[in-house]
């Protein structure tokens, strides 16, 4: 099973709302990622979690707050977003081991399409 | 990580081989070439990767030139379901705490036509 599950698939929220995106994997991967993808653009990395600890934050605004409660689950908490934050949010996971390149293959979920009104 | 250059779009007839080029002239000796694709409304999907030898799996073949400055992804018998954006990414095989991330370029939009 190489599945990464993201919920919800679609989300519409106002600028004053608080919402959360959820990502789950049961492959035993210890690295998890959030990417943001605007229309007709490539995905851009936001955060990396390694062994449940935040290891990379690509200068993401604080209105995006990631959380990794356990090795299988990754959340992205959203608060006071702007319309320009509307995008496809992708979660990925990888084995996270050192060394052999094949173990760093990332598996992606289908994404959450977010619209901020 | 080294930068890659890909043509923005390509067409291919169904049943024919699709050859997608990637230029990575500044690649370092310890950097691998990875290929991912993204079908519309889905997340990116890993296809294949290599260091310097040619590689083949059930999805595709990867041909890397001897000087490693360019590579070609080959889909031997393209189908309509292969219509997607194909990303060539060059990066080191880092450990989990050493920037284990993917930097996507513009990719090539492959359109497979009947």
């Amino acid at each position: 099973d190489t599945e990464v599950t993201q919920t919800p698939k679609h989300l519409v929220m106002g600028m004053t709302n608080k919402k959360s995106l959820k990502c789950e994997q049961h492959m035993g991967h210890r690295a998890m990622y959030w990417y943001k993808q605007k229309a007709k653009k490539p995905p851009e990395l936001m955060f990396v979690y390694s062994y449940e600890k935040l290891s990379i934050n690509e200068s993401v605004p604080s209105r995006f707050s990631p959380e990794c409660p356990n090795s299988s689950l990754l959340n992205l908490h959203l608060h006071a977003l702007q319309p320009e934050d509307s995008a496809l949010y992708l979660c990925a996971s990888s084995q996270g081991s050192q060394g052999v390149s094949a173990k760093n293959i990332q598996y992606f979920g289908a994404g959450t399409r977010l619209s901020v009104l | 990580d080294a930068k890659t250059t890909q043509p923005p779009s390509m067409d291919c007839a169904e049943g024919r081989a699709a050859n997608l080029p990637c230029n990575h002239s500044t690649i370092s000796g310890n950097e691998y070439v990875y290929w991912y694709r993204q079908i519309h409304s889905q997340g990116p999907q890993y296809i294949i990767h290599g260091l310097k030898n040619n590689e083949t799996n059930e999805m595709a073949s990867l041909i890397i030139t001897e000087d490693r400055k360019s590579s070609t992804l080959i889909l031997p018998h393209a189908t309509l379901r292969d219509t997607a954006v194909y990303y060539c990414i060059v990066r080191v095989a880092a450990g989990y705490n050493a920037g284990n991330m993917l930097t996507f370029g513009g990719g090539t939009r492959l359109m497979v036509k009947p």
Side-chain angles (χ1 to χ4, degrees), chain A residues 12-32:
Chain A
V12 179
M13 61 185 292
M15 289 188 284
T16 58
N17 292 158
K18 286 185 180 180
K19 297 287 185 183
S20 296
L21 310 184
K22 179 180 172 181
C23 174
E24 199 163 3
Q25 56 87 15
H26 296 288
M27 296 178 277
H29 289 173
R30 302 310 299 270
M32 296 185 77

Side-chain angles (χ1 to χ4, degrees), chain A residues 2-111:
Chain A
T2 56
E3 189 171 350
V4 175
T5 303
Q6 290 189 244
T7 55
K9 293 191 189 307
H10 302 275
L11 179 63
V12 179
M13 61 185 292
M15 289 188 284
T16 58
N17 292 158
K18 286 185 180 180
K19 297 287 185 183
S20 296
L21 310 184
K22 179 180 172 181
C23 174
E24 199 163 3
Q25 56 87 15
H26 296 288
M27 296 178 277
H29 289 173
R30 302 310 299 270
M32 296 185 77
Y33 313 78
W34 281 115
Y35 289 82
K36 174 181 178 179
Q37 185 174 25
K38 301 282 280 183
K40 299 189 186 303
K41 297 290 187 183
E44 294 180 342
L45 182 72
M46 300 174 72
F47 303 103
V48 180
Y49 270 83
S50 298
Y51 289 74
E52 296 97 69
K53 290 188 180 355
L54 183 66
S55 63
I56 295 176
N57 176 342
E58 291 288 282
S59 303
V60 179
S62 59
R63 58 185 183 269
F64 295 92
S65 176
E67 179 197 21
C68 190
N70 59 57
S71 60
S72 300
L73 194 56
L74 185 66
N75 298 320
L76 186 63
H77 302 298
L78 314 172
H79 173 55
L81 294 193
Q82 304 296 311
E84 59 265 28
D85 296 320
S86 298
L88 180 68
Y89 288 84
L90 294 161
C91 173
S93 71
S94 69
Q95 190 162 355
S97 299
Q98 300 252 1
V100 177
S101 65
K103 293 184 179 179
N104 292 329
I105 293 168
Q106 290 189 23
Y107 296 88
F108 285 80

